[in-house]
Amino acid sequence: MTDTMIFPSPEPHSEPPAVARESGVAPAGPLAATERGEPVHERPGFLRRVLQDTAYLCSGFGLGLAGFVVTVAGLSAGLGLLVVWVGLAVLTATAYASRGLAHLERFQQRTLLGKRAPLPVYLEAPADASLVRRVLTPLRDPQSWLDMLWGLVGFFTGLFGFCVAMIWWATAGAGLTYWFWSQWLPEGDTSLVELIGWGEGRRDESIFQFVLGLVALVTLPLVMRGCAVIQAGIADALLCSRAKLQSQVRQVSDARTSARLAEAASMRRLERDIHDGPQQRLVRLTMDLGRARKQMESDPERAGALLDDALRQARETVSELRTLSRGIAPPLLVDRGLRVALDELLQRATIPVSAHIEVPDKLPPHVETTVYFVVAEALTNIAKHSQAERAALAVTYADGWVGVVVQDDGVGGASLAKGSGLAGLGQRLGGVDGSLDVESPVGGPTVVRATIPVDLSPVEGDERA
């Protein structure tokens, strides 16, 4: 059913959710706070961007020089002393020193460039490990060797970026101010403009230098940005690529775990509901039919009453089984799609619900099922706990994400931490790489937001495709 909303309906986010994980790697979206290695910055202004790029290039040279010295000295000494086993300790110390410099590089990328620079998970020796194992653990970690490789490569990229930055800034500054400080230059020296044959005299030299400085000033932002991107890209490939891979692996693992937990919880709930509902009714139905059969000849009237009661219980059992089947795979959703299934949910709602549904006709089955259960659970919670008079539903698709927003004007107080059906929804959404957020201050309103990634390529096994 549709009705005029009495409060503004929030638009669902079309971006993937950001999920902060303090596991050492930064993983996902719309409700983003700061995730580790991926701070949220406002877009810097033009001048600030140029200054930050320049600062990154200049400091990168210092870090590169330190990394080069540490890596070359450490590897030379460590490999040279390897025959007396002292070299292992030297190599381990070099790995830790390179790790510290790599942390500084990641910090610079976050603060000066606003880039995502996640911290990888380094191998750690167990607490009860022997001294030898503790020494060897950093050397068994591929990231330690990538940190040392960056110590070598970073020197050359840092030197290049630093030289380019100094040349461009010096050309811009000296060229634009040449007309002023050139009066202190000794007379008679051959000027640059005379060497290239474009004029002679102090006046022509001043004009030439001013034009040269102006060109350097105009191209300065582009050159600083390009050098910073190249330098940061090389550092990112060596220092952060494994962290991003670890994050993806962790997300897949978490999604599988969430899917298993959600499936197990659904099966336990279904088993409990069948045991407490249809199974008890069928047991009673069997007993009533047995009594009716015994009384068919001796007391036909009593037998008829028992058969009427058995018929009523059979109908109630069928109705309850249909209700339970909706919790597995709603027939309307399977046969006629998401829109029809959501319309049926809205028609069964206990309060007026205004709806705005704009999604493709053919979504992957797991996405349709997840959206359906998000809406169903949200409406169920509204009916049971919210004391709301009206609600609003928005289901939209944008940029590869389906957003679901359910809002009511009830008393609020809902929470994912209470172990309710909302917590189960969080697990279900985690199983499809989605996210769930609940805003429900005491006094209301309550807003439930869910985002689900969507791949609209043809899906095998979808009869409606």
Side-chain angles (χ1 to χ4, degrees):
M1 64 180 67
T2 59
D3 206 323
T4 304
M5 287 188 297
I6 58 174
F7 49 88
S9 173
E11 290 296 326
H13 298 273
S14 62
E15 297 178 359
V19 181
R21 303 184 195 278
E22 287 302 316
S23 59
V25 292
L31 314 169
T34 300
E35 60 177 295
R36 186 174 186 177
E38 191 170 359
V40 178
H41 295 290
E42 293 183 359
R43 193 175 188 85
F46 178 78
L47 179 59
R48 183 180 177 186
R49 175 77 281 162
V50 176
L51 294 177
Q52 287 179 337
D53 288 342
T54 304
Y56 174 73
L57 293 173
C58 295
S59 60
F61 172 65
L63 271 182
L65 179 59
F68 185 81
V69 171
V70 167
T71 303
V72 171
L75 290 178
S76 301
L79 295 176
L81 297 173
L82 200 58
V83 292
V84 293
W85 296 99
V86 179
L88 289 177
V90 175
L91 290 175
T92 299
T94 304
Y96 278 115
S98 299
R99 183 181 301 183
L101 294 173
H103 288 344
L104 289 177
E105 171 63 23
R106 298 185 188 99
F107 176 77
Q108 283 196 140
Q109 291 194 23
R110 299 185 198 116
T111 55
L112 295 179
L113 302 183
K115 286 176 58 69
R116 179 190 173 208
L119 179 67
V121 178
Y122 289 91
L123 287 179
E124 294 184 1
D128 57 347
S130 64
L131 179 61
V132 174
R133 186 174 180 182
R134 289 178 181 275
V135 171
L136 292 178
T137 295
L139 302 181
R140 293 171 47 238
D141 190 348
Q143 187 59 52
S144 296
W145 294 99
L146 288 175
D147 291 345
M148 287 187 277
L149 178 60
W150 171 81
L152 299 175
V153 176
F155 169 71
F156 297 101
T157 59
L159 177 62
F160 173 78
F162 176 77
C163 291
V164 171
M166 292 299 99
I167 291 173
W168 242 259
W169 275 100
T171 302
L176 294 176
T177 59
Y178 181 83
W179 59 271
F180 173 73
W181 55 267
S182 62
Q183 57 184 315
W184 287 286
L185 293 178
E187 296 287 347
D189 290 346
T190 303
S191 62
L192 178 61
V193 72
E194 293 175 352
L195 289 175
I196 61 178
W198 284 7
E200 59 182 16
R202 187 62 53 85
R203 179 175 176 276
D204 291 341
E205 178 71 13
S206 297
I207 294 175
F208 175 78
Q209 290 288 351
F210 184 84
V211 172
L212 187 62
L214 187 61
V215 171
L217 181 64
V218 171
T219 58
L220 181 66
L222 182 62
V223 173
M224 295 299 99
R225 180 94 288 245
C227 291
V229 168
I230 293 174
Q231 183 172 322
I234 295 174
D236 182 79
L238 294 174
L239 302 182
C240 304
S241 57
R242 291 190 75 251
K244 295 173 184 177
L245 179 60
Q246 290 169 344
S247 175
Q248 294 173 0
V249 171
R250 180 172 293 276
Q251 288 180 32
V252 172
S253 177
D254 290 349
R256 289 178 178 175
T257 301
S258 296
R260 294 193 193 101
L261 292 175
E263 181 181 4
S266 297
M267 294 301 296
R268 287 195 299 268
R269 184 169 58 251
L270 179 62
E271 181 182 10
R272 183 180 64 250
D273 291 342
I274 291 176
H275 178 272
D276 295 342
Q279 182 175 326
Q280 299 299 326
R281 292 183 184 278
L282 290 174
V283 170
R284 182 179 173 183
L285 177 61
T286 302
M287 297 173 62
D288 287 347
L289 289 174
R291 286 197 299 268
R293 182 178 181 181
K294 291 179 181 179
Q295 297 178 3
M296 187 67 70
E297 296 181 358
S298 61
D299 191 354
E301 184 176 348
R302 175 61 177 165
L306 288 173
L307 288 175
D308 290 339
D309 187 56
L311 180 60
R312 178 183 59 80
Q313 289 192 56
R315 290 171 177 168
E316 291 178 353
T317 302
V318 170
S319 176
E320 193 164 357
L321 285 173
R322 285 175 177 170
T323 301
L324 290 175
S325 71
R326 293 191 185 99
I328 305 173
L332 278 177
L333 180 63
V334 175
D335 298 334
R336 301 180 61 185
L338 181 61
R339 290 177 182 272
V340 177
L342 292 180
D343 286 341
E344 192 248 354
L345 277 179
L346 297 177
Q347 291 173 8
R348 292 192 287 113
T350 57
I351 60 173
V353 181
S354 60
H356 174 70
I357 302 174
E358 289 186 4
V359 292
D361 292 332
K362 295 178 182 179
L363 290 172
H366 72 280
V367 175
E368 291 187 339
T369 302
T370 304
V371 171
Y372 178 88
F373 282 116
V374 168
V375 176
E377 183 64 36
L379 294 179
T380 300
N381 283 348
I382 290 174
K384 289 183 178 180
H385 310 296
S386 72
Q387 303 177 27
E389 296 181 358
R390 296 195 180 187
L393 167 67
V395 183
T396 60
Y397 169 82
D399 300 330
W401 290 81
V402 169
V404 181
V405 178
V406 183
Q407 180 174 350
D408 67 68
D409 61 352
V411 298
S415 173
L416 289 170
K418 293 182 178 180
S420 62
L422 291 176
L425 276 186
Q427 289 182 341
R428 182 183 289 273
L429 283 161
V432 295
D433 293 329
S435 72
L436 180 70
D437 177 68
V438 178
E439 297 177 9
S440 184
V442 177
T446 296
V447 182
V448 177
R449 291 188 179 92
T451 51
I452 307 163
V454 178
D455 180 5
L456 292 181
S457 57
V459 180
E460 296 183 1
D462 186 359
E463 297 177 354
R464 294 176 285 106

